[in-house]
Amino acid sequence: MGVLELGKDTGQFDEEPADVEAASGRRRRRVGLAKSNVMRYFESREAVLLELLVSQVKDFFPLASARLSSDVVPQHSATDRAAAVAAALSAEFAKQPTMYELLDAQAGALERNISAATAADYKRAGYETSGEFAAALRRALPELDEPATVDAVKLIVMLVGTIWINAHPPAAVQEAYAADPGLTFLPDGFERSLENAIRAVLLGLLAQATDPV
């Protein structure tokens, strides 16, 4: 059993971390894994967290695909199906807080201290999984061709990390919002804001598909 599989089996990745690196340390201690032991398997802390992100994404996309199959009615209009897709995905994404923290940290931190080989492995795994999810999205919205659904998945993944971090600001910002709710950047919260954003992306791609520039 690998390091990450052990962590998942013991429930160590279920919490919502405020800081992914600090959370990683807590999780190592929880299952009795010293940092030196973890580093035998990975070249850096960033590589550990990237592997965790890949693992979480691989677990998530089949669940999201199944949710699309159950919630999207093929006989409905494309607009209604896009709305159903947005609602289903935002609800599923809302259950994955650790994944958002990692997605938000991916480009700015996690990809900074890894080898080219690790980066290539990570990208290949991500593209393979996102390709499978794009196929599920295409079944829900057959009006979109393969390039359009691949673009949709990339945009959705980027939106998830950005909206999550803005919906969960640092303590000082939360205090400012509490004192003056009018300052709140995302008053609808994470799930609703993500749903609106995904719907906008899908409607835009559908419009482009029916009336290409």
Side-chain angles (χ1 to χ4, degrees):
M1 178 181 292
V3 173
L4 295 182
E5 286 74 14
L6 174 61
K8 290 168 66 177
D9 287 350
T10 55
Q12 65 169 326
F13 298 137
D14 294 339
E15 67 184 89
E16 174 185 331
D19 177 87
V20 289
E21 187 170 329
S24 177
R26 290 196 299 273
R27 290 161 184 156
R28 288 196 307 267
R29 292 190 294 272
R30 194 174 301 170
V31 294
L33 289 173
K35 178 179 177 181
S36 59
N37 289 335
V38 173
M39 298 308 291
R40 291 178 186 175
Y41 299 94
F42 299 94
E43 63 189 33
S44 66
R45 290 173 294 180
E46 289 80 4
V48 175
L49 294 171
L50 280 177
E51 182 67 19
L52 171 58
L53 176 56
V54 168
S55 177
Q56 295 235 324
V57 169
K58 285 182 176 179
D59 288 346
F60 169 76
F61 277 150
L63 297 175
S65 298
R67 181 72 180 263
L68 293 183
S69 297
S70 65
D71 287 15
V72 178
V73 180
Q75 293 77 19
H76 286 180
S77 69
T79 298
D80 287 345
R81 281 182 279 119
V85 168
L89 291 183
S90 60
E92 286 299 316
F93 273 118
K95 303 173 184 177
Q96 307 291 331
T98 302
M99 188 167 67
Y100 313 140
E101 296 278 352
L102 293 167
L103 284 171
D104 180 67
Q106 173 187 328
L110 301 188
E111 295 180 352
R112 300 287 183 178
N113 187 29
I114 56 174
S115 67
T118 294
D121 288 344
Y122 163 66
K123 294 297 183 181
R124 288 190 190 99
Y127 291 154
E128 179 181 352
T129 305
S130 63
E132 295 169 359
F133 182 60
L137 182 58
R138 196 157 55 252
R139 288 192 291 272
L141 293 169
E143 295 83 358
L144 299 179
D145 60 15
E146 182 176 357
T149 52
V150 170
D151 285 345
V153 170
K154 290 178 180 179
L155 288 168
I156 289 169
V157 169
M158 288 189 290
L159 285 169
V160 167
T162 300
I163 293 175
W164 173 262
I165 205 67
N166 280 282
H168 297 81
V173 178
Q174 293 184 38
E175 290 177 13
Y177 288 169
D180 185 354
L183 297 175
T184 305
F185 185 64
L186 294 175
D188 291 334
F190 172 74
E191 184 173 342
R192 183 63 175 173
S193 297
L194 181 61
E195 179 182 349
N196 291 338
I198 293 175
R199 184 170 64 248
V201 166
L202 296 177
L203 291 177
L205 290 170
L206 285 169
Q208 188 174 25
T210 57
D211 186 20
V213 177

